[in-house]
């Protein structure tokens, strides 16, 4: 049974930093590209970042570019999202997911973690 | 970026009756390899989204046969042949043809 277990999140002040992690089990983690997707009432579901299976390439949405960094440690089966210079509009539930948009594999999602940016 | 527009945004359905959700993209979703990377997701209350359909019309493992996807180019439809209580939630389309991936704004289905 595949599980993506997320940790991190919470309430932080604008301008501060926060990191999220997502640990996979039951999945050939090192064979999968991984993604972060966030969901807020204002913007709905929004793709945030992607990283290739081996971590050699990564991509970020324009809305977070230069502030967020996706990374992974395949030896720990763990995906990370390092967020800095946080803004109120970054408030959302963040999901880690395989987000297989091409239909080449099964699609898996973490349980989500709430990030609230507020003074 | 490609814009994905869903309609209706809210749908009240009757158990056992059919339901249909539309999704329109601002650009054709036909990729250079000939495939169309349009997906449908269902998000039940309090849960993460779950993919139901990939490449327009292919059901994911475990997805009931009452769900079907169709369409081409820029216009796509998700149909539920006979709505069941467990189908309540928000349905999203997602395009994977163009970078970055884009979700529709969601269609809330309630009984």
């Amino acid at each position: 049974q595949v599980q993506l277990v997320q940790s991190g999140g919470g309430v932080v002040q604008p301008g501060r930093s926060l990191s999220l992690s997502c640990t996979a089990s039951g999945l050939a983690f090192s064979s999968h590209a991984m993604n972060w997707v966030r969901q807020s009432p204002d913007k709905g579901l929004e793709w945030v970042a992607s990283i290739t299976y081996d971590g050699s390439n990564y991509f970020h949405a324009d809305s977070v570019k230069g502030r967020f960094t996706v990374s992974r440690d395949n030896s720990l089966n763990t995906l990370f999202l390092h967020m800095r210079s946080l803004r109120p509009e970054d408030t959302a539930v963040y999901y880690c997911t395989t987000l297989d948009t091409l239909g080449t594999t099964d699609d898996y999602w973490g349980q989500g973690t709430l990030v609230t940016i507020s003074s | 970026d490609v814009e994905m527009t869903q309609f209706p945004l809210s749908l009240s359905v009757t158990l056992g009756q059919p339901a249909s959700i539309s999704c329109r993209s601002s650009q054709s979703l036909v990729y250079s390899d000939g495939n169309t990377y349009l997906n449908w997701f269902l998000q039940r209350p309090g849960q993460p989204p779950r993919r139901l359909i990939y490449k327009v019309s292919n059901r994911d493992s475990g997805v009931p046969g009452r769900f079907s996807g169709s369409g081409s180019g820029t216009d796509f439809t998700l149909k539920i042949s006979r709505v069941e209580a467990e189908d309540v939630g928000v349905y999203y389309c997602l395009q994977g043809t163009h970078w970055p991936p884009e979700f529709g704004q969601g269609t809330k289905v309630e009984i």
Side-chain angles (χ1 to χ4, degrees):
Chain A
Q1 180 188 359
V2 173
Q3 282 193 303
L4 299 177
V5 178
Q6 299 182 223
S7 59
V11 181
V12 295
Q13 294 178 326
R16 302 297 291 266
S17 300
L18 193 66
S19 291
L20 306 180
S21 63
C22 168
T23 300
S25 60
L27 176 72
F29 182 74
S30 60
S31 299
H32 287 265
M34 293 297 295
N35 299 264
W36 289 98
V37 170
R38 66 186 181 184
Q39 184 171 34
S40 63
D42 291 345
K43 297 182 183 178
L45 287 168
E46 180 187 15
W47 168 81
V48 173
S50 294
I51 188 166
T52 53
Y53 70 99
D54 59 357
S56 61
N57 286 290
Y58 44 84
F59 313 90
H60 300 85
D62 288 345
S63 57
V64 306
K65 201 170 290 183
R67 300 187 301 119
F68 289 15
T69 303
V70 61
S71 63
R72 65 191 297 161
D73 186 335
N74 284 346
S75 69
L76 298 177
N77 285 350
T78 301
L79 175 73
F80 302 98
L81 186 66
H82 305 286
M83 306 180 288
R84 64 180 178 88
S85 301
L86 284 161
R87 305 167 180 168
E89 55 265 35
D90 295 319
T91 295
V93 174
Y94 285 73
Y95 293 101
C96 65
T97 171
T98 52
L99 195 65
D100 173 49
T101 62
L102 305 184
T104 58
T105 185
D106 290 338
D107 197 60
Y108 302 105
W109 292 65
Q111 82 275 19
T113 188
L114 178 60
V115 172
T116 304
I117 312 304
S118 174
S119 53
Chain B
D1 294 359
V2 177
E3 290 188 18
M4 304 297 291
T5 303
Q6 289 181 232
F7 49 93
L9 298 183
S10 179
L11 186 60
S12 182
V13 299
T14 302
L15 291 175
Q17 293 300 304
S20 178
I21 300 168
S22 296
C23 176
R24 181 169 293 165
S25 58
S26 60
Q27 301 176 34
S28 172
L29 297 187
V30 180
Y31 191 57
S32 55
D33 64 2
N35 288 307
T36 301
Y37 296 108
L38 186 283
N39 305 265
W40 288 98
F41 288 78
L42 165 60
Q43 186 175 29
R44 295 189 174 106
Q47 295 186 16
R50 170 200 177 191
R51 193 179 66 191
L52 302 175
I53 302 279
Y54 61 92
K55 285 196 290 187
V56 180
S57 59
N58 296 273
R59 278 192 303 276
D60 271 276
S61 174
V63 174
R66 63 180 181 273
F67 290 94
S68 64
S70 63
S72 62
T74 61
D75 290 286
F76 304 93
T77 302
L78 175 71
K79 291 183 179 177
I80 309 173
S81 59
R82 290 176 301 278
V83 173
E84 297 190 8
E86 65 179 16
D87 300 338
V88 165
V90 183
Y91 291 80
Y92 296 91
C93 58
L94 166 69
Q95 72 84 19
T97 297
H98 303 281
W99 193 261
E102 287 284 349
F103 290 91
Q105 62 269 66
T107 296
K108 186 174 184 179
V109 171
E110 31 192 22
I111 305 294

